[in-house]
Amino acid sequence: MTLLQNLADPRRSLLQFGQVHDQRTSIFIPFDPDRITGVLQQVILDHYGEPPRTSDGQTRFLTVLTSRQMGKSLAGEYAAYPKTAYTPGWDHVCLADTEPRANYLHHRVHQLHARWPEEVRAPTIPNRESRQITFAENIGGKMRTLSAEGEATGIGQSPDSFHSSECAFQDDFAGKMFLINPSLINRDNAIVLFECTPWESGSDWHEHCQEAKRGTGRNAY
């Protein structure tokens, strides 16, 4: 395994180099996936590091259902950071439910990047896009944080990893997935995370969770 491949695995690099603003103490401390939850955040890291696969060899798409303040959204973006920073050409897209949430998640990724040790930190290059980090081409790819409030979100995207955050609170979750699914279903190695809190029975998110529980298609729960 090469140095870049080791750094790209969040199970290794995030635990060694990552820092997070701690809820309990309000200071930056080393990232610990077990500090708030015993399983959930580690499952997300494992999914980005080595996602389970179908019998056809395609990656499964992970659905996470949990209560609030469990760090599911932040863990998803933190796990995507080393994957994107150290995989040349990698394209990560996060779709947040609102513009303020998109800004928040992007800001937290910037905090993670700023505190990553300088000697191993992937260099970035300037870009004119809002809520985007672009890494040097021969080292990494780019991370984009979009808002589900945007027009036709999903059209024209072709991500290597996709994180749909707070799905139940997105404007027309099913419609957004209809637009972006064609960019994902034929990508054998795509890493996909859907996450949210429980919501109303019969809602798009509830139906999605039921399909994930059944293991429909590439879904995992």
Side-chain angles (χ1 to χ4, degrees), residues 20 22-25 29-38 41:
V20 65
D22 183 46
Q23 293 181 6
R24 186 184 305 163
T25 61
I29 63 172
F31 176 77
D32 177 2
D34 299 327
R35 188 169 175 84
I36 301 176
T37 64
Q41 292 191 30

Side-chain angles (χ1 to χ4, degrees), residues 36-195:
I36 301 176
T37 64
V39 175
L40 180 141
Q41 292 191 30
Q42 188 60 57
V43 166
I44 293 174
L45 265 62
D46 289 343
H47 185 72
Y48 275 87
E50 191 175 356
R53 293 182 179 267
T54 67
S55 58
D56 295 326
Q58 292 186 311
T59 52
R60 291 196 174 275
F61 298 164
L62 178 65
T63 292
V64 170
L65 179 70
T66 187
S67 57
R68 295 184 181 277
Q69 297 300 309
M70 293 294 105
K72 58 189 181 300
S73 298
L74 191 60
E77 286 305 280
Y78 266 35
Y81 170 81
K83 193 74 177 179
T84 310
Y86 301 109
T87 308
W90 193 268
D91 185 7
H92 173 75
V93 173
C94 173
L95 182 62
D97 53 328
T98 65
E99 186 109 4
R101 281 268 306 156
N103 290 334
Y104 169 80
L105 288 174
H106 181 68
H107 175 65
R108 295 303 293 269
V109 171
H110 263 288
Q111 288 180 329
L112 178 68
H113 175 70
R115 286 168 174 78
W116 206 261
E118 189 173 353
E119 58 270 24
V120 294
R121 187 190 308 154
T124 59
I125 60 176
N127 71 84
R128 296 183 179 180
E129 301 294 328
S130 61
R131 297 193 302 267
Q132 177 172 315
I133 299 179
T134 304
F135 298 97
E137 187 172 352
N138 61 329
I139 296 178
K142 61 182 176 182
M143 294 186 72
R144 292 173 287 159
T145 312
L146 309 178
S147 166
E149 295 173 328
E151 290 293 326
T153 302
I155 292 179
Q157 307 296 334
S158 186
D160 296 290
S161 57
F162 175 70
H163 172 199
S164 186
S165 178
E166 300 295 352
C167 299
F169 306 105
Q170 293 179 14
D171 178 31
D172 189 18
F173 168 62
K176 295 293 191 300
M177 293 308 99
F178 177 79
L179 292 176
I180 201 166
N181 269 338
S183 300
L184 298 170
I185 56 176
N186 292 323
R187 300 177 72 89
D188 291 345
N189 300 309
I191 297 176
V192 179
L193 170 65
F194 300 99
E195 46 87 354

